[in-house]
Amino acid sequence: MSTGRYFPSPPDHVPAGRMHEFDIYRFSPGVNDPLEQWGSLLASDAPRIFYTHHNGGHWVFLDYEDVREAFRNDSLFSTYQTPIPPIEPYPVMQPQGVDPPEHKTFRSLLAPLFTPVAVEKMKAELHRRSGVLLDAFAGRGACEFGRDFASLLPTGMFLYLMGMPEDRLMEFVHLAEVFMRSNDDAERATNIQQIYTVIGEYLAWRATRLGDDLGSVLVKARDENGQPLDHQDVLNCGFLLFVAGLDTVTSTMTFIWRHLAHNHAARRALTAIIDDREKLSVAVDELLRMHAVPNIYRRVKKDMVYRGVTMKENDRVVLPVSVANRNESVFAHADTIDLQREINNHLTFGAGPHRCVGSHLAKTEVTVALQEWLRRIPDFEVPAGAEIVGHMGPTLGFNRLPLVWTPAA
Amino acid sequence: MKVEVMPEVCQGHGRCQERCPEVFGTDAIEGKCMILMPEVPPELEHKARLAVKNCPEGALVISSD
Ligand code: HEM
Ligand code: SF4
């Protein structure tokens, strides 16, 4: 194992005025809503570019323009070896963990499979799956939203798209959760190994029975010279698909459903446009803006002065998109959910060369889930006295979200 | 109204196609923007304009009104 090659410098280059107390894995006392924890930074005295000593030390960008710049400018900010806290060896996820132009090989493999037109064809399956899940509990008048619905829909869909057998669904839900939620070094290392094992075993199995699923696409892929792609890279791409598209969707949905549980007017407004494709698309974008779960990491590529701030090669940067999405300079009445916000360049899915390949799938999963849910359960709430505990980390979310409603007669 | 895409800026996010599929498509190689209707008819102008404003990269331009 290499010794700290990509670890950040001790913060001699950070002036005291740039330091701010903030732990991306922890709540402040009395807070248990991760969006509130991050959102409070905008109103605080934290510099818009600040450094925290927690988790190995890293920068945090709060301005929309800086977050967008870091997403788009791969000559200053790299996606290669960025974990926080730093851990080595760390998987080089394909295409997320490689900078342009190398990232193009896997990016162009995946991109055509997830265009709006391609995702349109997945809709029927999403409706079917949402219906099956909902019919299991709609008549009960209660569920634990994360466990019973929000984790099963994207994970089941992932297995279906990959062509994987679905009998290990619960195991995968758990693996994806640990990946996004743990900052314990030993647990993270084991978890990474386990995901590789699952993906590796599956792709080897799939190689002997090719179909038209995503797993087969990965196995069959060839480079410009007709040669198979590097085996490790193929595993790295499978790994990324596993960790990118499961807990992110689950967490996003828990935030949106919590909002709806507390907000009668929003439920009515969505129900009124539930079959209006264009209006619903605009509304869902706004729900995605205000319930953005990812904190994306970058590594500074070379010593530089960025917007007057001295940064060193290998410094980590955290891009909290939930904060960027609430910049008043870009979004009028940024803290208000406006389901008719027609111009909405939120950064929920990032920007630039690595912007989420699965964004249309993710958005469609949320949209279809809303349609099927509201049709059966137009009104629902969080039971009185229930404590909803969130978690911080690279993907913000809630550990549990109990919901109750009056079942249709 | 005419629309154009700057191919070197486009990253193939398909927001344009999502917002206004009549005018914007995506290619089958990298999912990048293909203008299907460079000359936008009046009834689609509003939709096309919103698609231009919702491109995350600022890769679309209205070249004449
Ligand atoms: C609401 C759910 C989701 C959110 C918020 C989300 C967010 C993001 C963000 C912010 C990035 C950029 C990462 C970076 O710049 O380093 C990204 C990349 C990516 N996402 Fe998603 N994502 C979601 C769902 C999905 C789904 C369902 C898939 C499944 C296909 C997926 C696949 C990917 C891939 C493959 C990348 C890497 C793209 C590249 O590096 O070129 N995501 N996602
Ligand atoms: S939305 Fe912009 S970046 Fe995405 S395909 Fe259309 S023009 Fe290209």
Side-chain angles (χ1 to χ4, degrees):
Chain A
M1 190 162 139
S2 63
T3 49
R5 231 181 105 208
Y6 293 103
F7 280 53
S9 323
D12 292 343
H13 58 298
V14 182
R18 288 277 164 197
M19 297 292 292
H20 187 77
E21 166 62 34
F22 194 84
D23 185 339
I24 62 162
Y25 280 97
R26 270 180 211 285
F27 289 114
S28 305
V31 182
N32 63 13
D33 175 342
L35 285 176
E36 184 189 324
Q37 178 79 43
W38 276 102
S40 68
L41 282 171
L42 276 177
S44 77
D45 59 359
R48 291 301 183 107
I49 294 178
F50 74 79
Y51 194 94
T52 164
H53 69 277
H54 290 284
N55 297 299
H58 61 84
W59 297 99
V60 177
F61 288 1
L62 300 181
D63 271 344
Y64 178 95
E65 289 308 333
D66 291 331
V67 172
R68 186 165 182 267
E69 172 82 8
F71 271 124
R72 297 181 76 214
N73 192 336
D74 54 86
S75 60
L76 303 182
F77 301 99
S78 176
T79 59
Y80 181 65
Q81 297 297 324
T82 60
I84 299 177
I87 171 174
E88 280 185 33
Y90 193 74
V92 181
M93 288 183 246
Q94 283 285 5
Q96 194 274 339
V98 282
D99 294 328
E102 285 79 22
H103 101 302
K104 204 173 155 175
T105 310
F106 279 86
R107 177 87 190 182
S108 19
L109 190 63
L110 298 177
L113 306 175
F114 294 101
T115 61
V117 171
V119 169
E120 189 65 30
K121 299 192 182 115
M122 304 173 190
K123 252 189 179 166
E125 180 64 16
L126 281 171
H127 278 286
R128 191 190 70 75
R129 283 174 179 270
S130 305
V132 169
L133 292 174
L134 274 157
D135 289 339
F137 61 75
R140 287 211 304 264
C143 77
E144 201 286 275
F145 181 70
R147 182 197 61 204
D148 296 335
F149 190 74
S151 62
L152 299 181
L153 183 65
T155 311
M157 192 61 189
F158 168 80
L159 297 180
Y160 167 80
L161 291 173
M162 282 292 273
M164 289 169 99
E166 295 194 29
D167 51 351
R168 291 167 78 181
L169 187 71
M170 294 318 295
E171 183 191 344
F172 291 180
V173 167
H174 178 71
L175 287 174
E177 259 177 32
V178 172
F179 183 82
M180 285 303 193
R181 301 183 190 184
S182 171
N183 71 337
D184 177 277
D185 283 353
E187 188 179 37
R188 286 163 86 210
T190 313
N191 172 255
I192 290 170
Q193 273 317 315
Q194 287 169 330
I195 298 177
Y196 270 108
T197 305
V198 165
I199 298 287
E201 283 173 3
Y202 168 63
L203 291 179
W205 178 82
R206 181 48 76 193
T208 61
R209 36 178 93 56
L210 292 173
D212 51 10
D213 51 81
L214 191 48
S216 299
V217 170
L218 290 179
V219 175
K220 279 191 291 201
R222 295 289 179 270
D223 66 13
E224 315 75 80
N225 307 319
Q227 294 305 307
L229 300 176
D230 178 75
H231 181 63
Q232 187 59 42
D233 280 342
V234 171
L235 291 181
N236 292 341
C237 184
F239 185 99
L240 173 64
L241 288 168
F242 191 99
V243 299
L246 305 186
D247 202 37
T248 46
V249 180
T250 304
S251 296
T252 304
M253 285 174 53
T254 46
F255 276 108
I256 294 176
W257 264 252
R258 184 193 59 148
H259 168 69
L260 296 178
H262 291 319
N263 197 315
H264 183 258
R267 293 196 302 270
R268 284 291 75 76
L270 282 178
T271 304
I273 56 168
I274 205 75
D275 292 315
D276 183 322
R277 192 191 170 94
E278 285 174 25
K279 289 201 173 111
L280 189 60
S281 167
V282 168
V284 172
D285 259 323
E286 177 71 347
L287 292 171
L288 289 168
R289 177 182 74 89
M290 283 299 272
H291 303 106
V293 298
N295 292 310
I296 301 297
Y297 304 158
R298 288 292 185 269
R299 193 175 50 82
V300 172
K301 259 183 154 158
K302 52 183 181 220
D303 292 1
M304 64 172 171
V305 177
Y306 176 78
R307 300 224 204 266
V309 182
T310 301
M311 299 186 178
K312 293 263 189 222
E313 183 180 359
N314 292 330
D315 277 3
R316 297 296 199 278
V317 184
V318 171
L319 311 175
V321 298
S322 64
V323 178
N325 284 352
R326 289 168 85 153
N327 272 215
E328 198 65 39
S329 54
V330 180
F331 303 96
H333 312 293
D335 288 336
T336 307
I337 299 192
D338 172 2
L339 296 177
Q340 297 170 35
R341 197 183 290 274
E342 285 191 313
I343 299 171
N344 200 338
N345 278 305
H346 61 71
L347 294 173
T348 302
F349 295 116
H354 293 286
R355 190 177 183 277
C356 184
V357 161
S359 66
H360 300 291
L361 173 60
K363 189 175 166 185
T364 304
E365 289 182 336
V366 172
T367 305
V368 169
L370 279 172
Q371 289 175 317
E372 294 293 339
W373 180 286
L374 289 173
R375 201 164 285 151
R376 291 171 178 81
I377 310 173
D379 283 303
F380 54 97
E381 58 191 12
V382 178
E387 200 194 0
I388 322 179
V389 181
H391 60 83
M392 298 279 285
T395 306
L396 309 176
F398 291 103
N399 302 339
R400 302 180 66 244
L401 179 63
L403 295 175
V404 290
W405 57 90
T406 309
Chain B
M1 182 176 121
K2 273 191 184 164
V3 286
E4 276 178 50
V5 59
M6 296 181 274
E8 68 294 349
V9 183
C10 171
Q11 298 278 356
H13 303 317
R15 286 268 283 172
C16 49
Q17 184 180 36
E18 186 201 347
R19 285 296 172 102
C20 187
E22 297 88 343
V23 174
F24 305 97
T26 41
D27 72 30
I29 305 155
E30 288 176 81
K32 286 201 177 191
C33 173
M34 286 185 324
I35 309 272
L36 308 173
M37 228 187 243
E39 199 77 63
V40 182
E43 66 277 14
L44 287 174
E45 275 189 17
H46 180 65
K47 255 176 101 174
R49 224 177 269 280
L50 284 176
V52 168
K53 292 193 173 141
N54 276 295
C55 167
E57 309 298 325
L60 296 169
V61 278
I62 296 173
S63 48
S64 81
D65 260 293

